[in-house]
Amino acid sequence: MRLLYINNDGGGFADYVDVTEGITVEQFFKDKMQGSKPDDFLIRVNRQPVPREYVLKEGDRVTVTPTKIEGALL
Amino acid sequence: MEDKKNLIRMADKIQEALIKLKHGRYLELIRQLTSFAGKLQELTAESRKMGASLVKGWFSAAERCCKGVNRLLSDIPHSVSRIQQLTDVPQKEIPKLSSLVDELNQVQQEFGSLELDNAESTISVITEPITLDDVYLGPFRIQLELKKFSELYTTSPYCVIALEPNPAATDEEVTHPHVSGNKLCEGDGCVTIRTALEQGRLCDFFTMVRSILNTYNPDSPYVALYDWNGEPCYDCGYVMSREDTYYCYSCEHDFCSQCSTYCRFCEETVCLGCSAECPHCEEMVCQKCIRRCTECEELCCKSCLEENVCPNCKEEMEKENEEQECKISETNQNGNPSQSETGETQIKLAS
């Protein structure tokens, strides 16, 4: 099944990705953001906060936005 | 909560701004390509001229052509990189009106409020009060200006305004370690913020700006948080950054550059109160290197003292000695005239 995955960590690209049926949002995050802690990100599915055991559905829009981003002097 | 009509009106403006941005990007690409093609044409012309010069055996003219080619070649990498930047990321479709309304609704949910100014074409949210490393910076308004949206590739179309400003003591423009003059230095967030704006993902844009405001990067702030309140000069009270303070080893306080100096002998930094100007050489001297004249008790630097006596006293003492010597010689003259005669002879000989 296909999802729209928007990763705001790094390049901030929005892409369609193929995932296995029945995958939870927690597992999806672990697969895509290896080594990152979910607590450091704002995870939204179809613009809404969801529980970690939420099972993703075909066409869902998943957004991952870091809650800590380092600014810098130009 | 903003009413639905207002949200739709604003979503329409966002869509218009995105179309303008997309249009502007293609226009810029055309401009860059035209300039690049012009350079290639110039290279062809130089090559033709060089061929003609060689046929006639004009080597100096051919050399001039070489220089022209060199100059043109040095401009090409910049043009190529700019064109690549503009063509690198394939442009997404402009979001539908309904999607932009959803974005605005999501912003309302995430931030609790949303301010739309249709007249000024601005969209604003207000963050929670921000405290970083125990420094209270207050809440900030993140204001996106749709009128500046088309300038996204050259300038920042949004500003970050401190609502309860607690600026750095040394610079009133700096209201946050990463905000100066209401402009945020995005650092790591630069590309993602631009991409979110290009794609009309307003909620991602606002949340990322908030994430930067909630994070302190000690490696690259305008003003470091440890230095936020600055350091007042112990003497005049002028507030400066810690890097600009001068520590007086003598009284052990921090001073500004105006209220401190250094000892010309031991080169230690001292405040003006713990130093004195030598009245003879007029150099500043610290308490360790200053001495009292044993005769007049005047303060004087080490190098101006001779056998613990200041130059003035030394001069006086020398005068006194000379006078005494004169008296002695006069007494001797009266008692032994033959010596005086000998002296006169010596002077005459010398002259």
Side-chain angles (χ1 to χ4, degrees):
Chain A
M1 86 181 167
R2 292 190 96 195
L3 305 175
L4 175 63
Y5 170 48
I6 300 162
N7 177 8
N8 285 314
D9 191 30
F13 299 115
D15 281 311
Y16 284 97
V17 290
D18 289 311
V19 292
T20 50
E21 295 277 347
I23 190 169
T24 63
V25 68
E26 186 179 30
Q27 192 53 50
F28 178 79
F29 178 86
K30 274 185 191 164
D31 291 349
K32 295 289 174 195
M33 306 290 294
Q34 284 172 11
S36 301
K37 290 181 200 161
D39 293 353
D40 295 336
F41 292 85
L42 207 67
I43 303 163
R44 298 286 180 261
V45 178
N46 302 326
R47 305 181 187 279
Q48 299 296 324
V50 288
R52 58 183 66 226
E53 61 274 16
Y54 173 87
V55 179
L56 293 167
K57 295 183 197 77
E58 171 79 30
D60 273 351
R61 178 188 193 266
V62 184
T63 317
V64 175
T65 309
T67 53
K68 300 275 175 198
I69 304 175
E70 288 196 337
L73 206 151
L74 276 180
Chain B
M1 293 287 275
E2 288 287 338
D3 72 48
K4 207 174 174 185
K5 268 188 187 173
N6 237 358
L7 289 180
I8 294 170
R9 211 174 292 139
M10 190 50 86
D12 190 44
K13 284 194 174 188
I14 298 165
Q15 203 178 42
E16 214 174 275
L18 286 168
I19 292 168
K20 266 191 195 166
L21 177 68
K22 199 167 189 175
H23 192 250
R25 176 177 165 268
Y26 289 124
L27 280 181
E28 176 65 12
L29 185 57
I30 291 168
R31 206 181 65 78
Q32 290 292 336
L33 283 170
T34 311
S35 151
F36 182 67
K39 283 188 184 92
L40 292 180
Q41 275 177 355
E42 281 183 61
L43 275 173
T44 316
E46 289 290 349
S47 163
R48 208 177 300 124
K49 272 195 260 174
M50 206 185 299
S53 305
L54 283 179
V55 169
K56 291 178 180 171
W58 295 346
F59 291 116
S60 58
E63 193 51 40
R64 267 204 302 277
C65 292
C66 279
K67 281 180 184 163
V69 169
N70 196 287
R71 178 182 53 80
L72 286 165
L73 287 179
S74 63
D75 290 345
I76 285 177
H78 173 72
S79 291
V80 171
S81 120
R82 185 79 188 107
I83 292 166
Q84 276 178 331
Q85 273 176 18
L86 289 162
T87 52
D88 225 5
V89 186
Q91 289 291 289
K92 302 271 176 192
E93 286 296 305
I94 288 175
K96 288 178 185 153
L97 206 64
S98 59
S99 164
L100 290 169
V101 172
D102 287 346
E103 283 289 335
L104 292 173
N105 274 321
Q106 194 187 351
V107 175
Q108 276 192 128
Q109 277 175 24
E110 291 288 349
F111 287 85
S113 69
L114 173 72
E115 289 175 26
L116 303 177
D117 185 337
N118 270 306
E120 291 296 318
S121 296
T122 60
I123 304 167
S124 311
V125 295
I126 294 170
T127 67
E128 294 284 307
I130 292 170
T131 300
L132 297 174
D133 287 5
D134 295 330
V135 177
Y136 180 79
L137 303 166
F140 287 83
R141 178 198 297 276
I142 307 167
Q143 187 170 295
L144 179 63
E145 296 172 37
L146 295 180
K147 285 177 185 166
K148 288 187 183 169
F149 214 83
S150 58
E151 299 161 25
L152 177 66
Y153 301 110
T154 50
T155 184
S156 173
Y158 69 97
C159 51
V160 176
I161 303 157
L163 296 179
E164 292 170 25
N166 171 25
T170 50
D171 189 345
E172 284 204 348
E173 288 285 290
V174 178
T175 52
H176 181 283
H178 305 301
V179 176
S180 176
N182 295 338
K183 292 288 170 200
L184 175 73
C185 266
E186 296 154 343
D188 291 349
C190 177
V191 179
T192 32
I193 284 176
R194 205 179 67 183
T195 311
L197 285 173
E198 276 172 346
Q199 297 174 2
R201 288 187 282 110
L202 297 188
C203 190
D204 289 349
F205 156 72
F206 283 115
T207 48
M208 278 188 287
V209 172
R210 181 178 62 184
S211 296
I212 296 175
L213 291 174
N214 277 318
T215 313
Y216 173 51
N217 174 9
D219 294 331
S220 190
Y222 281 113
V223 175
L225 284 173
Y226 80 90
D227 211 10
W228 199 253
N229 296 319
E231 199 66 45
C233 170
Y234 189 72
D235 192 353
C236 69
Y238 171 74
V239 178
M240 69 217 128
S241 78
R242 283 192 195 185
E243 281 175 9
D244 294 334
T245 59
Y246 293 88
Y247 180 74
C248 173
Y249 82 88
S250 181
C251 64
E252 300 182 341
H253 288 114
D254 287 314
F255 293 86
C256 69
S257 59
Q258 300 289 311
C259 297
S260 58
T261 184
Y262 73 96
C263 172
R264 303 306 189 267
F265 294 93
C266 64
E267 297 191 341
E268 288 272 15
T269 306
V270 276
C271 68
L272 295 180
C274 294
S275 58
E277 191 184 80
C278 170
H280 302 284
C281 64
E282 295 180 347
E283 295 283 19
M284 294 305 285
V285 197
C286 75
Q287 287 172 346
K288 265 195 310 192
C289 300
I290 206 148
R291 300 281 183 275
R292 270 188 200 282
C293 168
T294 48
E295 291 295 313
C296 66
E297 298 213 328
E298 186 184 44
L299 287 170
C300 183
C301 76
K302 284 195 289 192
S303 70
C304 288
L305 286 180
E306 263 184 71
E307 293 161 359
N308 295 327
V309 179
C310 73
N312 289 347
C313 294
K314 184 86 182 165
E315 207 179 309
E316 274 180 32
M317 283 165 75
E318 279 172 0
K319 267 186 195 170
E320 279 173 21
N321 284 345
E322 272 175 29
E323 279 171 14
Q324 272 183 348
E325 275 174 25
C326 280
K327 278 179 193 171
I328 293 166
S329 66
E330 274 172 21
T331 322
N332 287 344
Q333 269 179 9
N334 294 338
N336 187 5
S338 63
Q339 267 190 355
S340 160
E341 277 171 21
T342 323
E344 272 179 22
T345 318
Q346 279 173 346
I347 290 163
K348 275 174 192 169
L349 281 171
S351 64

